[in-house]
Amino acid sequence: MNKEQIVKELNFKAIRSSGAGGQHVNKVSSKIELTFDLEHSEALIDEEKMLLKTKLSSKLTTENVLILTVEETRSQHKNKELAIKKFLSLLEINLKKPKKRTPTKPSKSVIRKRLETKEKTSVKKALRKKPKLE
């Protein structure tokens, strides 16, 4: 994954932020909408694209375009930087392959201890029963 090449493929759009802000909010477009076309990306290999399609399926549009919006600050430039950081961290997290689990076998002492405790509890419960009178 080449970060510089991926950042070049990002598209940005400035939109007016929602919420309170007085007179200034109607004039300034500080909210940033980041779009990334996963299907036509040249920075990612096919394996990475397939992995991202499965892991980010809820965040992708029907055309496999990822859309992120950031409106945390009043500055358009800071929001753009935050959007890039958020996007790159999202890619890093979702491109990590989980380690393969190696199955382990319980040791003989653990097996013996478990069987002993089972035997003790069964004897304890057997002693709780009322004796049969014949």
Side-chain angles (χ1 to χ4, degrees):
M1 179 179 89
N2 188 358
K3 289 182 182 180
E4 290 84 26
Q5 195 174 0
I6 289 176
V7 172
K8 287 179 185 175
E9 293 180 358
L10 297 177
N11 295 317
F12 298 98
K13 189 171 153 185
I15 310 165
R16 273 187 271 175
S17 288
S18 60
Q23 298 164 345
H24 189 67
V25 77
N26 298 326
K27 295 184 276 186
V28 180
S29 300
S30 61
K31 181 178 180 179
I32 293 291
E33 185 180 81
L34 177 146
T35 56
F36 177 70
D37 192 357
L38 187 65
E39 196 71 43
H40 299 100
S41 173
E42 294 176 8
L44 299 170
I45 59 173
D46 291 334
E47 287 178 30
E48 292 173 333
K49 287 179 187 178
M50 291 301 293
L51 189 65
L52 288 173
K53 280 181 194 174
T54 54
K55 287 192 173 182
L56 297 174
S57 60
S58 62
K59 296 179 190 275
L60 294 173
T61 63
T62 52
E63 295 86 31
N64 290 322
V65 175
L66 178 70
I67 300 172
L68 287 175
T69 55
V70 178
E71 56 178 331
E72 291 176 22
T73 65
R74 287 179 160 190
S75 168
Q76 189 183 104
H77 298 291
K78 284 184 183 177
N79 280 338
K80 190 174 181 181
E81 288 174 17
L82 287 171
I84 293 170
K85 284 181 184 177
K86 191 175 174 181
F87 172 74
L88 291 174
S89 67
L90 189 72
L91 282 187
E92 277 184 36
I93 291 167
N94 288 297
L95 284 176
K96 278 186 183 173
K97 291 182 181 174
K99 289 182 182 176
K100 191 179 181 217
R101 185 188 173 279
T102 53
T104 55
K105 189 175 165 185
S107 64
K108 288 182 181 178
S109 63
V110 171
I111 294 170
R112 183 178 39 78
K113 202 180 281 185
R114 182 179 58 86
L115 292 173
E116 284 173 3
T117 56
K118 278 180 79 167
E119 184 66 33
K120 283 181 185 176
T121 53
S122 67
V123 169
K124 189 194 301 181
K125 289 186 177 189
L127 290 172
R128 288 182 194 159
K129 291 182 181 177
K130 291 182 179 178
K132 289 186 179 180
L133 298 171
E134 292 179 25

